[in-house]
Amino acid sequence: DTAVSQTPKYLVTQMGNDKSIKCEQNLGHDTMYWYKQDSKKFLKIMFSYNNKELIINETVPNRFSPKSPDKAHLNLHINSLELGDSAVYFCASSHHGSGDGYTFGSGTRLTVV
Amino acid sequence: TQLLEQSPQFLSIQEGENLTVYCNSSSVFSSLQWYRQEPGEGPVLLVTVVTGGEVKKLKRLTFQFGDARKDSSLHITAAQPGDTGLYLCADPPFRTRKLIWGLGTSLAVNP
């Protein structure tokens, strides 16, 4: 069973479209994250939810909106996609404050054309 | 935003060689995690080091935490093509909510 699963794996879309990426974890973790990894491989935190409460909201354009219907799911909706949004987006989960590691999904490669 | 410095940034070696990569910070770590990210996948946790001077081994990988807890190293013995990937160090959230990432060392092991 996949611990953190995100869909889709690949997403190619035109500028101006709206798209969503979904993430689910079956580890019983209480905290979930969205990261953006750019072409230089740097992992940049975007959002974090702890038990459905938004606890990290980095400087991200408000075209990006996370939504956590329950603590096992964290989705990312992106409005009015731009070329610069092209990147790999990773979902991750953890037990907050435990010092245990993060478990990552396999990523969604978003290409905006 | 605090960043962890990792060196070298890129490393390309032949199968069977040994290598060491480094992670440094100007601040003291509460603990330190090492992750490996294979192409097309998310990072996977390899180890967490907590105590200054601590050494942990994972098969051919040896992780060392500096005595002052401001640096760490990862040594790979007899590297194999399967070791290819991006090695990331991270400072887990302790007083803050955010895990701080290094920029990574991209390792290529050629057959």
Side-chain angles (χ1 to χ4, degrees):
Chain A
D1 283 343
T2 304
V4 179
S5 59
Q6 54 182 109
T7 56
K9 175 77 171 174
Y10 299 97
L11 184 54
V12 181
T13 187
Q14 290 187 326
M15 284 175 55
N17 284 350
D18 303 338
K19 291 293 178 186
S20 292
I21 308 172
K22 296 186 175 183
C23 180
E24 176 181 4
Q25 55 96 4
N26 63 5
L27 298 167
H29 287 164
D30 58 2
T31 306
M32 297 184 72
Y33 312 83
W34 278 111
Y35 277 89
K36 179 180 181 180
Q37 188 172 46
D38 59 26
S39 57
K40 295 185 178 180
K41 303 298 185 184
F42 181 60
L43 278 164
K44 181 176 168 58
I45 183 76
M46 300 174 68
F47 302 103
S48 176
Y49 272 76
N50 176 254
N51 285 321
K52 296 169 53 181
E53 178 189 354
L54 181 64
I55 59 172
I56 294 175
N57 186 358
E58 289 294 285
T59 307
V60 175
N62 58 15
R63 300 181 293 103
F64 290 79
S65 54
K67 186 166 290 187
S68 182
D70 57 62
K71 71 175 188 177
H73 295 84
L74 179 62
N75 303 322
L76 183 65
H77 188 76
I78 315 170
N79 289 327
S80 302
L81 278 154
E82 300 178 358
L83 292 176
D85 297 332
S86 296
V88 181
Y89 292 84
F90 285 101
C91 176
S93 69
S94 73
H95 277 301
H96 178 61
S98 70
D100 294 341
Y102 287 19
T103 302
F104 283 81
S106 58
T108 295
R109 180 173 291 278
L110 172 65
T111 304
V112 183
V113 297
Chain B
T1 302
Q2 175 194 358
L3 285 177
L4 307 183
E5 295 182 0
Q6 290 192 244
S7 61
Q9 188 176 358
F10 299 99
L11 189 56
S12 180
I13 62 171
Q14 293 301 120
E15 183 175 1
E17 292 184 12
N18 301 333
L19 67 115
T20 303
V21 300
Y22 301 92
C23 176
N24 295 282
S25 173
S26 56
S27 305
V28 174
F29 296 115
S30 54
S31 62
L32 188 94
Q33 295 175 339
W34 283 95
Y35 290 77
R36 177 170 63 211
Q37 183 179 13
E38 297 181 8
E41 297 296 329
V44 174
L45 178 68
L46 297 174
V47 76
T48 301
V49 286
V50 179
T51 306
E54 182 176 5
V55 176
K56 284 192 174 179
K57 294 194 173 186
L58 187 65
K59 297 183 181 178
R60 293 174 294 100
L61 278 59
T62 301
F63 303 85
Q64 187 156 5
F65 203 14
D67 291 340
R69 295 181 15 240
K70 296 178 71 173
D71 58 272
S72 180
S73 64
L74 159 58
H75 181 80
I76 302 179
T77 303
Q80 299 177 1
D83 296 326
T84 293
L86 180 69
Y87 287 82
L88 295 156
C89 63
D91 184 4
F94 179 57
R95 295 183 185 84
T96 70
R97 293 180 180 270
K98 290 191 293 185
L99 186 149
I100 308 298
W101 292 94
L103 297 179
T105 293
S106 183
L107 171 66
V109 182
N110 306 301

